Amino acid sequence: MTTAGDLMVIRPRRLELPVWLIALGLMLRWLCRGLWWCLRHPVTVGLVVAGVLLYREFGRSGLIVPLVLAGFVSAVWRWKHEASWWAWCAGPLLGRFRQVFVYRRAWREAMTLCGLTRTYDHRVVLPQLLRVRSDQALDVLTIRMVRGQTPEEFQRVTANLAYAFGRRHARVYSERPGEPSVRTGYWAMALGAVDRLRYRDRPSLVYLVLVRTDALRTVVMPFDVPPVPDFTALPLARREDLRHWCLHLLATHVLIGGATRSGKGSVLWSLVRALAGGVASGLVRLWVIDPKGGMEFAMGRPLFARFACKSFEAMADLLDEAVTVMRERQTRLAGAVRVHTPTEADPLVVVVIDEMAALTAYLQDVDLRKRIASLLGLLLSQGAGVGVLVVAALQDPRKEVLPFRDLFPTRIALGLTEAAQVDLVLGDGARNRGALADQMPRWAKGVGYVILDGTPEPARVRFSYVSDDHIRELATGYPAPADAADILTQVGRETADEPTRPALPRRPRGPLLPDSLLTFLDRDTDGGEPR
C-alpha cells in the first residue's frame, strides 16, 4: 500500500542483450566508421594499398625505389612551379601532418580555455576540426561550429586562439579565404564545377588562419611599374600568404590612417609608383597637396601635374579647381555613363593629400578651413563616379579631426596608438575581427590592415618600400606631360548645355472644387455677374 507523500522510485525496465549481439554491434559500428574514413581519404588508402602490393611483390626495393622517384619528381616540380607544388603536393601533406600531430593534440584544451565549448544534455560539445590546409606561411583550419554558434564568437577570441596554438597572428573568416581561380582551357568547365563546390556557401563552417611563418618581417621591394595601370588591381603590398595585395582604385576614395613613423609614405609612394606608367602616358593626373612644406613629395615633383606645399590658399585653390573639373564632367557625362572611364583625352584625376588634419583641424584661418572642408566634402561625395578621386593620409582619425571619414569607401590602417582608432579607420568591430593595428612592433613600418573586396574580415599586408633613389628614378623616367596642368582648359570648351526636355503631355483633369463654389468665386465683385 502507498499513501500520499510516499517517495516512489520508478526504474525503467532493463533490456539485457547477449554478449555476442553486443560484440556484433560494436564490430559493425567500427566497420562502418572505417569504411567512411576510407571514402573520405582515398589518396591515403590508395598509397597504403600500393605500398603493401609493392612490398609483397618486390620486397624493400619496391618501397625504396618509388620513394626516391617521388622525391626526385617533387624536387623538379618545386623548382619549375613552386606555387602549384605547394597547392597540390606539399600543402595537403603538411596540413594533414599538422592536423594530426599539432592541432588535434591541443584541440580540446584550446577550445575549452578559449570559451568556445557548449554543454548539452550534460555533455561537453566541441567545435569540430575538419581539415587543415598549409602553404608556405599559413595554416588554414576549417572548423564546424557548434549548433547555435556564430563566427563573431570566434572573432572575439582571435588573439586567444593564436597564442593557444603557439602563434602571434591569426584571422577568422566567415567565408573561405581567397577567391576561386579563373579557369581557362580544355578543363575549364570541370575545374569550374570543382571551384563552385569548394567555394559554396557553408554557414556552419568558420575558417581560422594561423600565421606559421611571418612573411611580412622582410622588407618588400618595389613592384615593377606597369606600362598601362589596371585601376581595378594596382599592386601595392604583399599579403601574409605571399600573394600580392592589389588596390581597386577606380570609383573610390582611399583613407590611410597611421601614427608617426608607421609607413604612410610607403603606401602613398607605392600608389604613385603603380600609377607612374599612366602619368607618363597622360592617362592619370596627380594633383598633390603636401602641407609639410614638400618634405614628403617635393622629390617627385616632375610626376605631378599640380603641386601645392607651402600656401594654404594655393591648396584651397587646387581643391576648388578639382571641384570645377568634377562639375564639368558631371554636366558632360550625365545621361551617358554612370562611372567615368579614364582616357588620355579625359584622364583620371587623383588628388593626393598628405597629413589631411593640417587642412581640416589644425589650420588657424577659420574661413579658409571651412572652405577647404566644404570642397573636400563635395569631392568625396560626388567625385568618385566622374574620375576625380581623393587619397588622403592622416595621423589622428578622430571625428573632430576628420568629420567626413565615412565618405572614404577604402581604408587602410597602419600602426596606431589607441585601440579605439582601429575601428575609427576600418569600421566598427574591425579590431575584434583581428585588426590589431594598435599592437604593431617597432619593425613593422609599412605593415597595415586592409579590408579585402567582398569580405568584412581584415587582412594584414606590408607595403613596398620606395627609397629616395627609386623616387628619383620615377621622376626621371615617368615625368608628366608638359600640358598635364592644362586640364582646366577643357572646362568650358567641352561643356555642353543641358538638353531641353520636351514637356510631357498631361491628362486633362476635372476641377477640384464643386461647380457652385467655382461660380461664386468667379463672380464680379462689383456687379455680381459672372465674368
Side-chain angles (χ1 to χ4, degrees):
M1 296 291 294
T2 58
T3 59
D6 291 345
L7 179 63
M8 297 182 62
V9 180
I10 300 176
R11 295 185 177 90
R13 184 178 180 181
R14 297 181 61 184
L15 181 63
E16 296 183 358
L17 298 176
V19 178
W20 66 268
L21 185 59
I22 296 176
L24 180 61
L26 291 176
M27 291 178 60
L28 290 176
R29 179 182 179 183
W30 287 106
L31 181 62
C32 292
R33 287 189 175 184
L35 291 176
W36 177 245
W37 188 90
C38 293
L39 291 175
R40 289 182 59 192
H41 305 84
V43 177
T44 303
V45 174
L47 291 176
V48 171
V49 172
V52 171
L53 295 177
L54 290 173
Y55 182 76
R56 290 184 59 184
E57 186 70 22
F58 302 102
R60 293 183 179 179
S61 61
L63 296 178
I64 297 175
V65 173
L67 288 176
V68 173
L69 291 177
F72 176 76
V73 172
S74 176
V76 175
W77 187 1
R78 182 179 183 181
W79 175 46
K80 291 294 185 180
H81 200 279
E82 186 175 3
S84 62
W85 180 77
W86 273 104
W88 297 99
C89 180
L93 292 177
L94 180 60
R96 185 60 181 168
F97 175 83
R98 294 184 62 82
Q99 177 180 356
V100 174
F101 295 100
V102 176
Y103 295 109
R104 284 200 183 278
R105 293 178 58 187
W107 188 253
R108 175 177 290 274
E109 181 182 2
M111 294 296 105
T112 303
L113 297 180
C114 291
L116 296 174
T117 59
R118 293 291 186 272
T119 302
Y120 175 74
D121 196 15
H122 305 289
R123 293 187 301 109
V124 177
V125 184
L126 296 172
Q128 186 179 359
L129 178 61
L130 300 180
R131 184 185 182 189
V132 177
R133 185 83 176 188
S134 300
D135 58 14
Q136 300 98 312
L138 306 178
D139 287 340
V140 182
L141 282 65
T142 304
I143 304 171
R144 177 177 284 121
M145 297 180 291
V146 177
R147 190 178 297 274
Q149 278 185 334
T150 60
E152 286 75 14
E153 298 182 38
F154 285 80
Q155 291 170 350
R156 284 195 292 266
V157 294
T158 301
N160 305 70
L161 290 172
Y163 282 90
F165 293 111
R167 303 299 168 197
R168 293 189 179 274
H169 304 286
R171 308 283 177 275
V172 175
Y173 294 92
S174 57
E175 298 180 0
R176 180 166 180 159
E179 298 179 356
S181 305
V182 179
R183 303 296 186 179
T184 58
Y186 184 76
W187 296 98
M189 184 177 296
L191 293 177
V194 173
D195 289 337
R196 286 191 295 272
L197 179 64
R198 293 172 59 196
Y199 289 89
R200 68 187 184 276
D201 186 22
R202 304 178 71 179
S204 62
L205 300 184
V206 70
Y207 301 90
L208 174 62
V209 179
L210 294 168
V211 181
R212 189 177 68 254
T213 302
D214 194 354
L216 305 184
R217 277 188 170 270
T218 58
V219 177
V220 180
M221 298 305 297
F223 299 100
D224 295 335
V225 179
V228 180
D230 183 2
F231 300 111
T232 61
L234 296 172
L236 301 185
R238 179 194 295 164
R239 294 169 49 170
E240 288 177 322
D241 55 2
L242 300 179
R243 292 189 294 174
H244 293 170
W245 179 76
C246 299
L247 172 66
H248 189 290
L249 184 63
L250 192 64
T252 189
H253 304 292
V254 183
L255 176 64
I256 306 163
T260 304
R261 300 294 182 182
S262 62
K264 296 187 295 295
S266 296
V267 185
L268 296 173
W269 279 112
S270 296
L271 176 61
V272 172
R273 184 178 179 87
L275 296 173
V279 169
S281 63
L283 195 62
V284 181
R285 297 286 191 268
L286 293 178
W287 293 13
V288 177
I289 297 176
D290 188 356
K292 295 186 293 188
M295 291 300 297
E296 182 66 40
F297 285 104
M299 192 176 296
R301 178 65 182 89
L303 291 163
F304 311 139
R306 301 293 306 279
F307 184 67
C309 64
K310 295 181 180 180
S311 173
F312 287 100
E313 289 79 6
M315 300 175 192
D317 293 341
L318 188 150
L319 295 175
D320 198 357
E321 294 171 0
V323 172
T324 303
V325 175
M326 180 189 71
R327 294 298 190 195
E328 183 270 334
R329 289 184 177 179
Q330 287 176 340
T331 304
R332 177 162 44 89
L333 300 178
V337 295
R338 292 189 299 170
V339 178
H340 169 263
T341 301
T343 60
E344 294 183 7
D346 203 13
L348 182 72
V349 178
V350 182
V351 181
V352 181
I353 306 174
D354 186 25
E355 196 48 56
M356 194 174 187
L359 304 179
T360 60
Y362 307 145
L363 185 58
Q364 296 180 355
D365 191 336
V366 178
D367 295 335
L368 188 59
R369 185 171 69 242
K370 291 181 178 180
R371 177 191 172 193
I372 291 176
S374 63
L375 294 173
L376 284 173
L378 289 173
L379 289 175
L380 292 173
S381 60
Q382 304 177 27
V386 295
V388 183
L389 311 181
V390 177
V391 178
L394 77 165
Q395 299 182 23
D396 190 355
R398 290 177 300 173
K399 191 71 175 179
E400 55 270 20
V401 175
L402 188 63
F404 29 76
R405 184 185 62 253
D406 295 334
L407 297 178
F408 288 91
T410 303
R411 305 180 189 180
I412 300 171
L414 301 174
L416 297 169
T417 56
E418 299 177 5
Q421 293 180 354
V422 180
D423 292 343
L424 290 176
V425 176
L426 295 179
D428 292 339
R431 192 179 186 280
N432 291 335
R433 295 192 296 267
L436 304 179
D438 58 309
Q439 298 181 6
M440 288 289 187
R442 288 179 296 177
W443 57 264
K445 295 181 179 180
V447 178
Y449 292 88
V450 297
I451 300 296
L452 297 177
D453 294 336
T455 59
E457 291 84 5
R460 184 166 167 263
V461 301
R462 183 163 190 170
F463 292 89
S464 61
Y465 173 66
V466 183
S467 64
D468 294 348
D469 294 336
H470 292 132
I471 296 174
R472 295 187 185 95
E473 292 177 1
L474 287 177
T476 304
Y478 300 92
D483 59 344
D486 297 335
I487 189 173
L488 292 177
T489 59
Q490 301 176 6
V491 180
R493 177 170 55 86
E494 296 183 0
T495 302
D497 296 334
E498 185 174 356
T500 303
R501 297 179 176 86
L504 297 177
R506 296 185 177 181
R507 298 169 57 185
R509 297 182 180 180
L512 298 177
L513 301 176
D515 295 340
S516 58
L517 183 58
L518 288 174
T519 303
F520 175 77
L521 295 175
D522 201 34
R523 291 179 181 274
D524 190 1
T525 56
D526 296 333
E529 297 294 334
R531 294 178 183 175

